[in-house]
Amino acid sequence: RLDSIQAAVLRYRLTRLDSLIERRRANAALYRALLKGVPVRLPQDKPYEFHTYVNFVSQCERRDELQKHLAAKGVQTVVHYNTPIHLQPAAGSLGCKRGQFPVTERLCETILALPANQMLTEADIRFVSAEIRGFLGGGTP
C-alpha cells in the first residue's frame, strides 16, 4: 500500500526505468571490454535474455583476495551467497551434506558482485577494471 507521495515518486521513477537499465547494461558491456583476457568470468548477454544487471556477478578463483584488494582501493563488492542454500541452517532438516551439490558449492566460493549500478561513471568502471586487471593480470585492454 502506497500513500500518494510514495506513489508520485514511484510514478516518476518508472518513467526513468528504461534509461537506468540501459545505463547498467552499458556498464556491463564496458566491464566485459575492459576485462577481456583477465582471469575473471563475467556475465554475458544471451540473445534469448534481457538482463537488467541489478547485480553484476563475476566469478574468480581468487575471489577473497580480489575482494580484499578492491576494498583497500575503496571499491565495494558483495558476496551474496557464501554458504550454499543446501548447507544453510534453515535447510538442515533436508539432510544435505557438503559435496552433494559440487557446482553450487564451487560457485559460492568464486562469485563476487562488482559495482555496476546506473550511478557509476565510465571513469568509475575504468578504475575498477584497472584494479582488477592489475591484481589478476591479463595484459592491457
Side-chain angles (χ1 to χ4, degrees):
R1 297 181 182 180
L2 299 174
D3 61 39
S4 48
I5 292 175
Q6 290 172 322
V9 170
L10 180 59
R11 186 174 184 184
Y12 168 74
R13 291 191 72 192
L14 284 173
T15 66
R16 302 178 61 226
L17 183 60
D18 289 342
S19 65
L20 297 179
I21 290 170
E22 283 309 311
R23 179 62 184 249
R24 289 195 305 259
R25 289 175 57 81
N27 287 346
L30 183 57
Y31 268 125
R32 283 192 293 271
L34 294 173
L35 293 174
K36 192 170 187 134
V38 175
V40 63
R41 194 165 169 216
L42 302 174
Q44 298 296 316
D45 285 329
K46 297 180 178 124
Y48 53 87
E49 295 177 339
F50 183 83
H51 205 306
T52 60
Y53 295 105
V54 171
N55 294 306
F56 189 70
V57 182
S58 67
Q59 295 174 44
C60 178
E61 295 298 321
R62 297 174 58 198
R63 188 259 325 263
D64 294 338
E65 296 171 67
L66 177 60
Q67 186 176 35
K68 286 178 187 168
H69 172 77
L70 291 174
K73 300 296 183 176
V75 177
Q76 182 181 7
T77 58
V78 178
V79 176
H80 290 286
Y81 301 102
N82 275 325
T83 304
I85 293 172
H86 67 284
L87 298 178
Q88 295 280 346
S93 65
L94 299 175
C96 295
K97 305 284 186 232
R98 183 166 293 283
Q100 284 185 274
F101 298 95
V103 173
T104 300
E105 293 167 20
R106 184 74 186 124
L107 287 172
C108 286
E109 296 169 354
T110 62
I111 58 174
L112 182 65
L114 301 176
N117 69 67
Q118 66 275 5
M119 303 305 285
L120 296 175
T121 65
E122 181 177 327
D124 294 331
I125 302 289
R126 288 186 180 280
F127 175 77
V128 174
S129 297
E131 288 300 326
I132 293 170
R133 183 175 288 284
F135 184 76
L136 294 176
T140 56

